[in-house]
């Protein structure tokens, strides 16, 4: 997967730039290892009565269906694929942050164990020309990927400033979905704040 170029990083937040450069180092360039590979397997098919919908059956026994809004030719009976991607980011972030928090607490007994994350005012953007530009035989003028992801991740309980930054950075480096989004060039301008600080809570309104 291509890493962000220097031009794509212009104007990005310092944290985003730092993460992107770290991904281009050792952690992002190790050869793929079959010995440590984790596999995700599924079978899926579109719906004969709704060609915009796909139902996927995973080997874990879970089922996921996607659809499109009516205005896009679907029947609006399930979440859009990009909405599922964003839900995957939130779920993966929560699970990874809990793992990171446990390891931080083992290294520093004064560090609290994460209780929960709350995702507030999360907004993703993409340029529709990346998917819809015509004529179809020409490459679109912009990437179809997500361009930005903004909002707040509220953390309970409170972490000190250094620990909160470590929690965010290591979560975004270790979460497969966040890692993929950042490596694609999506600008992750999501602010992590402590939930029990009243001044931070007021800033979300």
């Amino acid at each position: 997967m291509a890493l962000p170029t220097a031009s794509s990083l212009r104007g990005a937040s310092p944290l985003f730039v730092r993460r992107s450069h770290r991904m281009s180092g050792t952690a992002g360039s190790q050869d793929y290892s079959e010995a440590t590979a984790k596999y995700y397997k599924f079978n899926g098919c579109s719906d004969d009565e709704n060609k915009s919908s796909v139902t996927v059956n995973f080997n874990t026994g879970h089922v996921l269906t996607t659809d499109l809004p009516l205005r896009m030719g679907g029947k609006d009976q399930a979440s859009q694929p990009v909405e599922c991607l964003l839900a995957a980011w939130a779920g993966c972030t929560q699970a990874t942050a809990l793992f990171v928090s446990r390891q931080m607490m083992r290294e520093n007994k004064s560090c609290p164990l994460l209780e929960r994350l709350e995702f507030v005012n999360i907004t993703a953007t993409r340029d529709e020309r990346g998917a819809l530009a015509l004529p179809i035989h020409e490459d679109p003028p912009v990437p179809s990927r997500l361009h930005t992801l903004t909002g707040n991740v509220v953390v309970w309980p409170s972490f000190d400033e250094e620990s909160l930054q470590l929690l965010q950075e290591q979560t975004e480096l270790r979460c497969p979905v966040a890692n993929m989004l950042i490596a694609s060039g999506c600008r992750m301008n999501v602010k992590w704040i402590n939930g029990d600080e009243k001044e931070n809570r007021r800033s979300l309104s």
Side-chain angles (χ1 to χ4, degrees), residues 130-172:
L132 304 179
L134 298 175
I136 203 66
H137 64 272
E138 294 183 3
D139 292 348
V142 294
S144 59
R145 59 165 170 78
L146 294 180
H147 284 244
T148 64
L149 188 64
T150 62
N152 298 280
V153 173
V154 186
V155 180
W156 277 275
S158 285
F159 286 69
D160 62 55
E161 183 177 354
E162 182 178 353
S163 296
L164 184 62
Q165 180 174 330
L166 178 63
L167 178 66
Q168 177 180 2
E169 288 190 343
Q170 288 302 317
T171 296
E172 291 180 341

Side-chain angles (χ1 to χ4, degrees), residues 13 15 19 89 117-122 149-155 164 168 172 187-195 197 199-201 203-204:
S13 68
L15 181 57
R19 286 189 305 244
W89 165 75
L117 300 178
E118 181 181 354
F119 301 86
V120 181
N121 297 328
I122 301 297
L149 188 64
T150 62
N152 298 280
V153 173
V154 186
V155 180
L164 184 62
Q168 177 180 2
E172 291 180 341
R187 298 189 180 193
M188 301 280 286
N189 293 317
V190 177
K191 183 179 180 181
W192 289 46
I193 64 175
N194 287 315
E197 296 179 7
E199 62 272 23
N200 284 339
R201 294 296 294 163
S203 72
L204 299 181

Side-chain angles (χ1 to χ4, degrees), residues 15 20 33 37 63 96 99 128 176 194:
L15 181 57
S20 299
S33 172
V63 178
T96 306
F99 168 79
E128 286 198 317
N194 287 315

